[in-house]
Amino acid sequence: MSSLEVNLYRYNPETDKFPYMKTYNIEKPSRDIMVLDLLHLLKEGDESISYRRSCREGVCGSDGMNINGKNGLACITPISSVIKKNKIDLRPLPGLPVIRDLVVDMSEFYAQYEKIKPFLQNDTTAPEQERLQSPADRDKLDGLYECILCACCSTSCPSFWWNPDKFVGPAALLQAYRFLADTRDLKAEERLEDLSDPFSVYRCHGIMNCVSVCPKSLNPNKAIGEIKSMLLKNKENIIARDGA
Amino acid sequence: MKRPVNINLLKIKLPLTALLSITHRLSGMFIFFIVMPVSVISLSFLLESSASYELFKENYNSSISLKIIFLSLIIIFKYHIFTGVRHMLMDFHLISESLASSYRSSQITLILFLADSLLTAVVIL
């Protein structure tokens, strides 16, 4: 039976001054398991290991982590797809403060999400039943609404690492576009105005890290491109209306 | 409380598209701080007098290392242009922003750059 070497990022603020990597050697499971299952196996031997998990099926977005250098959800990443030379490195999501082991403080990430006002804004009188959309208009939201806010994309983005307080980040920008693209939302101009500073959107240089890690195969980079085009159009409209 | 942050750049895998973007920026800095000053200084030396022009020409023609230095400056400048044009095409939505086409455009950019570098090297050396 071959053994598997797992290098785990460990940090306990009560006992450790600095984080360190701890190596665990465990028997290689006879069948392919998910990285999350591997963590469960490790935790059986060392109860002090901390990580977040909930649904264990890629829906809740709790167990985003850096697996062999690439962000992903532990629960839907088979170990066979990431093991290199019988080794696997597990680290917390990059760029966010580490609370303990693989658990990061997501406050900055959520603050950016809050900033883009992730709710429908429409102050016209609501119809009797619901605001209707044509199927074609509804289709525009596909690939946008499915985000589970696991933070894999934003924490793989160097622009977000350096400016987590000013750059909105791919996850929240995807949601910003989700409401910009929604025909029922009437605050597009205000939304764009909020995003028009040099940092919020324009720190994205299209390096595609977000797209390459998204566990739901979404494309924040494309959404950001659309927002940039809308910002330009909006500026043109404002100039045409009010003069330069 | 001061919490540690995991940003170990050596341990984070970056896709080809990211490497292209980062090297684009590095080459831009190199152009600003090295290529431009060297070019301007060489040009001013060349234009000083016909004697200085002849001196430069003589040295340049006889020195392979000088040629290699100028070749690398030109190649780095061209790298910046090639990767920059790719970025602009993406900004104008002329290259679709899917992961697959972004990879492909990166590969094409690199191939074009390498072919052009070879050609430049042949011409200069």
Side-chain angles (χ1 to χ4, degrees), chain A residues 21-241:
Chain A
M21 296 301 287
K22 188 169 176 183
T23 304
Y24 296 83
N25 284 295
I26 63 162
E27 206 175 88
K28 199 169 184 179
S30 52
R31 65 187 178 88
D32 199 7
I33 58 172
M34 299 296 173
V35 173
L36 183 64
D37 302 323
L38 187 70
L39 277 167
H40 290 336
L41 286 176
L42 289 181
K43 200 173 166 77
E44 276 174 18
D46 181 350
E47 291 184 343
S48 69
I49 297 173
S50 305
Y51 50 88
R52 288 197 181 105
R53 53 91 68 199
S54 183
C55 76
R56 59 103 189 94
E57 56 183 14
V59 174
C60 71
S62 304
D63 62 354
M65 58 186 69
N66 191 272
I67 305 162
N68 265 0
K70 192 175 169 189
N71 289 354
L73 295 179
C75 54
I76 53 169
T77 306
I79 57 170
S80 62
S81 69
V82 287
I83 289 177
K84 283 257 166 68
K85 294 180 196 146
N86 256 343
K87 272 205 288 203
I88 176 163
D89 285 10
L90 297 176
R91 295 164 197 271
L93 290 174
L96 292 177
V98 177
I99 296 173
R100 181 173 168 151
D101 296 343
L102 300 176
V103 180
V104 290
D105 178 0
M106 309 255 288
S107 315
E108 284 170 322
F109 175 77
Y110 292 136
Q112 293 299 345
Y113 180 55
E114 191 181 0
K115 219 151 96 179
I116 60 105
K117 303 198 174 97
F119 42 83
L120 200 76
Q121 297 182 71
N122 185 330
D123 39 27
T124 58
T125 319
E128 197 93 351
Q129 284 190 319
E130 58 191 313
R131 295 187 196 277
L132 294 174
Q133 268 191 310
S134 70
D137 282 340
R138 169 60 189 78
D139 285 348
K140 289 179 189 159
L141 308 182
D142 285 345
L144 305 172
Y145 76 93
E146 297 94 328
C147 173
I148 56 172
L149 295 176
C150 64
C152 283
C153 59
S154 289
T155 59
S156 73
C157 175
S159 293
F160 189 75
W161 295 340
W162 316 137
N163 293 293
D165 52 337
K166 293 193 233 123
F167 174 55
V168 172
L173 285 172
L174 185 79
Q175 291 317 298
Y177 184 61
R178 181 246 169 276
F179 287 99
L180 285 168
D182 195 319
T183 49
R184 297 163 297 181
D185 189 280
L186 301 180
K187 296 278 184 199
E189 200 173 300
E190 289 87 339
R191 287 180 185 278
L192 289 170
E193 201 50 50
D194 290 343
L195 294 171
S196 61
D197 63 286
F199 277 91
S200 297
V201 179
Y202 292 113
R203 281 283 137 164
C204 169
H205 303 295
I207 72 170
M208 303 295 267
N209 277 15
C210 52
V211 190
S212 76
V213 298
C214 179
K216 307 301 272 187
S217 302
L218 305 179
N219 193 331
N221 196 71
K222 188 168 161 44
I224 294 170
E226 301 293 345
I227 296 178
K228 284 178 179 168
S229 296
M230 287 178 92
L231 280 166
L232 198 64
K233 196 95 205 131
N234 191 47
K235 199 86 195 165
E236 275 175 20
N237 290 343
I238 290 174
I239 290 172
R241 194 184 60 205

